[in-house]
Amino acid sequence: MYECQATTHPPQSIFVQLRVVAAYAEIVGTKDKVFNSGSRLQLICVLTLATSKPDYIFWYHNDRMINFDTNRGISVQEDESGSTLTMINVSVSDSGNYSCQPRDMRPDSVVVTILSERQAPDALQDKTTHTSGKDIVQLECATLLISLSSILIRISF
């Protein structure tokens, strides 16, 4: 609680309650993701409690920033609600930690495993294998729901 007091006689005060809200990034879905070699990888990063679009949103694979690695089949699209990383024809070497790091916001990360054609997905029971367009539609629907909920939260305050 803060008090703003005018130097009048008698003193007059206005009390203000300050609430600090920290914006953060959230990659949609589970923290462990599995894709088949040769498939398309898509990660959706939603900005939650953001009051404005950040100056930039960088994607990292392990410790390397990959936003501009177009020669590897990587594309990044940004909009008001966040950023989408898409990689075509992924291979085992694309496995690792992926993080979404917007400027001045808490980042988020996931672990991606790319299965070679010889690996059986049953060996990774806690992870979800992403191979079909249906999975992409489910992720896009989840992103829409999260975006709508963050808009409703902002409107209600």
Side-chain angles (χ1 to χ4, degrees), residues 13-96:
S13 296
I14 297 174
F15 293 91
V16 178
Q17 176 104 23
L18 179 65
R19 185 172 149 231
V20 177
V21 178
Y24 60 95
E26 184 175 15
I27 298 174
V28 175
T30 63
K31 294 298 177 195
D32 292 310
K33 301 181 182 297
V34 178
F35 295 85
N36 288 324
S37 181
S39 66
R40 180 175 77 143
L41 175 151
Q42 187 171 58
L43 300 176
I44 300 169
C45 180
V46 177
L47 306 179
T48 303
L49 300 176
T51 56
S52 63
K53 186 175 184 258
D55 292 337
Y56 58 80
I57 302 171
F58 288 149
W59 283 93
Y60 288 84
H61 175 223
N62 298 323
D63 295 322
R64 177 181 162 76
M65 197 264 286
I66 58 173
N67 284 51
F68 306 105
D69 287 357
T70 54
N71 59 332
R72 291 181 48 206
I74 293 174
S75 70
V76 174
Q77 293 181 325
E78 291 185 18
D79 60 28
E80 292 301 315
S81 66
S83 177
T84 301
L85 169 72
T86 304
M87 298 174 64
I88 56 171
N89 197 26
V90 293
S91 64
V92 174
S93 64
D94 294 315
S95 295

Side-chain angles (χ1 to χ4, degrees), residues 69-139:
D69 287 357
T70 54
N71 59 332
R72 291 181 48 206
I74 293 174
S75 70
V76 174
Q77 293 181 325
E78 291 185 18
D79 60 28
E80 292 301 315
S81 66
S83 177
T84 301
L85 169 72
T86 304
M87 298 174 64
I88 56 171
N89 197 26
V90 293
S91 64
V92 174
S93 64
D94 294 315
S95 295
N97 183 285
Y98 284 80
S99 59
C100 170
Q101 298 187 15
R103 179 175 184 204
D104 297 330
M105 292 184 198
R106 189 179 72 214
D108 194 19
S109 63
V110 295
V111 175
V112 170
T113 303
I114 308 297
L115 299 175
S116 69
E117 294 175 12
R118 296 182 303 273
Q119 287 178 296
D122 296 341
L124 302 166
Q125 294 177 357
D126 292 336
K127 301 180 182 183
T128 305
T129 303
H130 300 279
T131 57
S132 69
K134 179 182 173 188
D135 295 321
I136 302 299
V137 171
Q138 288 173 340
L139 285 174

